[in-house]
Amino acid sequence: MSIITLSPAILDAQADGRGIVALESTIITHGMPWPQNLEMARQVEATVREHGAEPATIAVLDGTLHVGLTDAQLEKLAQAKHVAKLSRADLAVCMAERRTGATTVAATMIAANLASIRIFATGGIGGVHRGAESSFDISADLHELAQTPVTVVAAGAKAILDLPKTLEVLETLGVPVIAYGQDQLPAFWSREAGLRAPLRMDTPEQIARAHRMRAALGLPGGQLIANPIPAEAEIPRDVLAPVIEQANADAARHGISGKALTPYLLQRIFELTQGRSLDANIALVLNNARLAAQIACRMTLLT
Ligand code: PSU
Ligand code: MN
């Protein structure tokens, strides 16, 4: 029994030594509404291809871990209801029970690594939630970055989180947080978080070399590349601050916690901004897909 299925397009890309970019599926099933979620997923794949790499969207379909989906599989997943949200803890149970689930950053990193894919593009990673000092809600994405050797391109951690605490945990775990092309840490929908990023790089080549150096040193874990949203698509931080406060307060009032919290906050902010947050989210994901494809191409030249 094969537990992992690589699509024909991914097998071809591997045989030819072309760059491959892993893509997650929780952003499709839990991060954006239908039908913009499907449009986004298709555009992200097209962007990766335009920049010379092959996209590998990852999901568990009826118990099989798929690396690379067909368009029909993508469409079905984007419309499916009650799909499980899979992190490191849930992946094996979902597969053993032959169910369907969408992979978060953590689970996508695990699958990418199994398929020897070194680079992954998403929107924003999970992190330390506001109020974590009492809720203890810290995303498994952070621990995955500390142990699985995949470079993740994101627009930072999602701004719904406590960003200073998220940076502290990443530092403790030994995860390099590298801002791309600026000194400031980006804040998902906004270009700047008001925090200096620990590290900075300005080219895909530098990022590819740093990834390889970690492997040469025998260091486990990946890198977080924090790529700022394009200026024309950003929502300024002061516009978003009260919206994020309101969404977090609404979540607390409704007793929303655990896996449901991040999807709830994203949906609530979508409503409170009349859809503007979704437009920004799509723009930043496409921007991350472009950079990830460029890094993937540099990586193939280095090895
Ligand atoms: N990026 C987005 N939207 C999302 C996510 C990332 O633009 O919905 C997803 C990723 O799958 C990430 C998850 O792993 O949100 C974080 O969930 P949690 O906070 O429950 O760990
Ligand atoms: Mn959580």
Side-chain angles (χ1 to χ4, degrees), residues 8-285:
I10 295 303
L11 289 170
D12 276 358
Q14 287 190 332
D16 300 346
R18 280 185 283 128
I20 302 173
V21 174
L23 300 165
E24 58 147 311
S25 45
T26 294
I27 188 171
I28 302 172
T29 55
H30 294 71
M32 294 185 185
W34 166 266
Q36 290 97 330
N37 61 348
L38 177 61
E39 252 170 69
M40 176 279 304
R42 284 177 170 156
Q43 281 182 298
V44 167
E45 291 202 345
T47 301
V48 170
R49 286 195 188 96
E50 276 161 30
H51 290 82
E54 188 62 34
T57 302
I58 292 173
V60 176
L61 305 179
D62 301 320
T64 298
L65 182 55
H66 285 264
V67 175
L69 300 184
T70 64
D71 191 65
Q73 288 170 326
L74 203 61
E75 183 165 351
K76 193 172 168 198
L77 188 69
Q79 290 182 79
K81 302 227 161 40
H82 314 297
V83 176
K85 174 179 164 185
L86 307 177
S87 190
R88 166 172 279 260
D90 323 282
L91 192 56
V93 169
C94 177
M95 292 173 65
E97 302 282 307
R98 309 218 56 81
R99 292 198 294 252
T100 291
T103 51
T104 60
V105 168
T108 304
M109 288 178 75
I110 294 169
N113 188 40
L114 285 172
S116 304
I117 300 173
R118 294 167 291 178
I119 176 102
F120 163 23
T122 184
I125 63 160
V128 181
H129 277 280
R130 295 170 188 214
E133 57 274 25
S134 55
S135 70
F136 276 48
D137 190 342
I138 301 175
S139 177
D141 292 353
L142 302 184
H143 288 271
E144 206 59 51
L145 276 161
Q147 59 183 312
T148 302
V150 174
T151 286
V152 178
V153 182
K158 286 188 274 285
I160 53 175
L161 301 164
D162 185 323
L163 294 181
K165 286 194 182 74
T166 300
L167 266 191
E168 290 293 345
V169 171
L170 286 166
E171 184 186 17
T172 302
L173 293 172
V175 177
V177 178
I178 303 169
Y180 187 66
Q182 66 181 30
D183 295 329
Q184 280 272 314
L185 186 77
F188 198 64
W189 300 286
S190 315
R191 284 178 68 80
E192 299 196 342
L195 295 166
R196 210 182 152 84
L199 299 162
R200 168 183 175 157
M201 284 186 165
D202 295 289
T203 66
E205 163 104 33
Q206 286 176 295
I207 296 165
R209 285 189 183 284
H211 181 103
R212 205 172 65 149
M213 188 59 76
R214 280 188 74 85
L217 287 167
L219 291 171
Q223 317 184 96
L224 175 61
I225 309 305
N227 185 29
I229 183 172
E232 64 277 10
E234 86 160 330
I235 308 178
R237 207 150 48 96
D238 53 339
V239 172
L240 271 181
V243 173
I244 292 171
E245 290 262 312
Q246 166 88 50
N248 271 295
D250 292 347
R253 195 155 44 84
H254 290 108
I256 290 159
S257 65
K259 278 180 182 296
L261 181 56
T262 294
Y264 173 87
L265 291 172
L266 292 175
Q267 169 64 24
R268 190 75 190 108
I269 290 167
F270 169 76
E271 291 161 11
L272 292 169
T273 61
Q274 278 97 37
R276 199 174 160 202
S277 65
L278 179 60
D279 296 339
N281 198 346
I282 292 171
L284 68 84
V285 176

